[in-house]
Amino acid sequence: MTLSLFDQFMSPWHMGIPLLAISLVAPWILFPTPTSRWLNNRMLTFQSWFIARFTQQTFMPLNVGGHKWALLLASLMVFLITLNMLGLLPYTFTPTTQLSLNLGLAVPLWLATVVIGMRNQPTAALGHLLPEGTPTPLIPVLIIIETISLFIRPVALGVRLTANLTAGHLLIQLVSMAVFVLLPMMPTVALLTAVLLLMLTLLEVAVAMIQAYVFVLLLSLYLQENV
């Protein structure tokens, strides 16, 4: 039973080809290509409006130097939302349930923010490791603690996204299995469980969008500290 529950998180292969690579490339095909002409369909209009609003809300606290990241973070936001939402469809694979993929996204972007901070304002970047007004005996301990918390940031980004999506998929599978088991024995209870499954699915849709937003928002906050 335990193995069958976690089989859905195994990276699938077909004829020696990793389908994870296809699942990472396929989402970009779903979006219409913007043109320099007038917006001529609702999907393109909604896409432009969503990206514009997201960019405005995310980069409002940042100075002009941080606005160079707008294209990268907006693309990452759309990419993560698409992967998370497509993973909720039946017989699909969710790449963002793989910790290796999430760390592969989190570590380079976090490291880029740290490098930018050390290059542009090294004094302020190092000053984050020691809060102002710290008593002298606590200075070595606080420097160690702040250094550890700094290096934990990318791990927390990846683990948060992986854990939330994995837990949601497991809950959906467990409740759906309960519906099929209860249906021949207790139809009324199975119907109530199916309603619970529907509500849980709607919750997972919200989690899929929120977790993608939180991932990018935290990256923007790390960027704000270093620009």
Side-chain angles (χ1 to χ4, degrees):
M1 177 65 70
T2 304
L3 291 178
S4 64
L5 288 177
F6 287 91
D7 280 347
Q8 60 177 316
F9 303 115
M10 296 177 60
S11 180
W13 289 68
H14 182 66
M15 299 179 62
I17 301 175
L19 299 184
L20 175 62
I22 299 178
S23 64
L24 291 176
V25 175
W28 297 111
I29 306 175
L30 301 177
F31 293 97
T33 304
T35 63
S36 57
R37 303 178 181 179
W38 290 98
L39 301 179
N40 53 7
N41 61 72
R42 294 180 180 179
M43 181 63 186
L44 192 58
T45 303
F46 174 75
Q47 176 181 317
S48 302
W49 172 84
F50 173 78
I51 294 176
R53 292 292 298 174
F54 165 75
T55 306
Q56 178 184 1
Q57 292 296 325
T58 305
F59 290 91
M60 188 179 300
L62 299 180
N63 56 26
V64 179
H67 293 177
K68 300 175 183 178
W69 287 59
L71 179 60
L72 175 62
L73 294 186
S75 301
L76 179 62
M77 172 75 171
V78 174
F79 182 59
L80 290 178
I81 287 182
T82 308
L83 289 180
N84 295 346
M85 297 292 288
L86 290 178
L88 294 175
L89 298 176
Y91 303 104
T92 56
F93 173 70
T94 312
T96 44
T97 57
Q98 306 295 309
L99 182 60
S100 57
L101 172 67
N102 296 333
L103 288 179
L105 293 173
V107 172
L109 293 173
W110 163 82
L111 186 60
T113 62
V114 174
V115 170
I116 288 176
M118 295 297 294
R119 185 187 65 180
N120 294 341
Q121 43 183 11
T123 304
L126 293 176
H128 292 153
L129 301 178
L130 184 63
E132 187 177 356
T134 303
T136 304
L138 296 179
I139 289 179
V141 178
L142 280 180
I143 290 178
I144 295 175
I145 293 175
E146 292 296 330
T147 303
I148 293 175
S149 66
L150 177 65
F151 284 97
I152 284 179
R153 285 180 174 182
V155 179
L157 280 177
V159 171
R160 181 187 296 107
L161 184 58
T162 303
N164 281 281
L165 295 180
T166 302
H169 282 65
L170 285 176
L171 282 175
I172 289 178
Q173 183 171 357
L174 289 172
V175 175
S176 61
M177 291 171 59
V179 172
F180 281 105
V181 171
L182 293 173
L183 189 59
M185 297 183 297
M186 293 178 287
T188 305
V189 178
L191 180 61
L192 295 177
T193 310
V195 174
L196 175 63
L197 177 62
L198 177 62
M199 297 175 61
L200 181 61
T201 304
L202 295 177
L203 176 63
E204 284 306 309
V205 171
V207 169
M209 294 186 289
I210 291 173
Q211 288 304 316
Y213 175 72
V214 169
F215 189 92
V216 178
L217 178 64
L218 290 176
L219 281 176
S220 68
L221 293 178
Y222 300 157
L223 179 64
Q224 182 180 356
E225 293 180 358
N226 294 283
V227 295

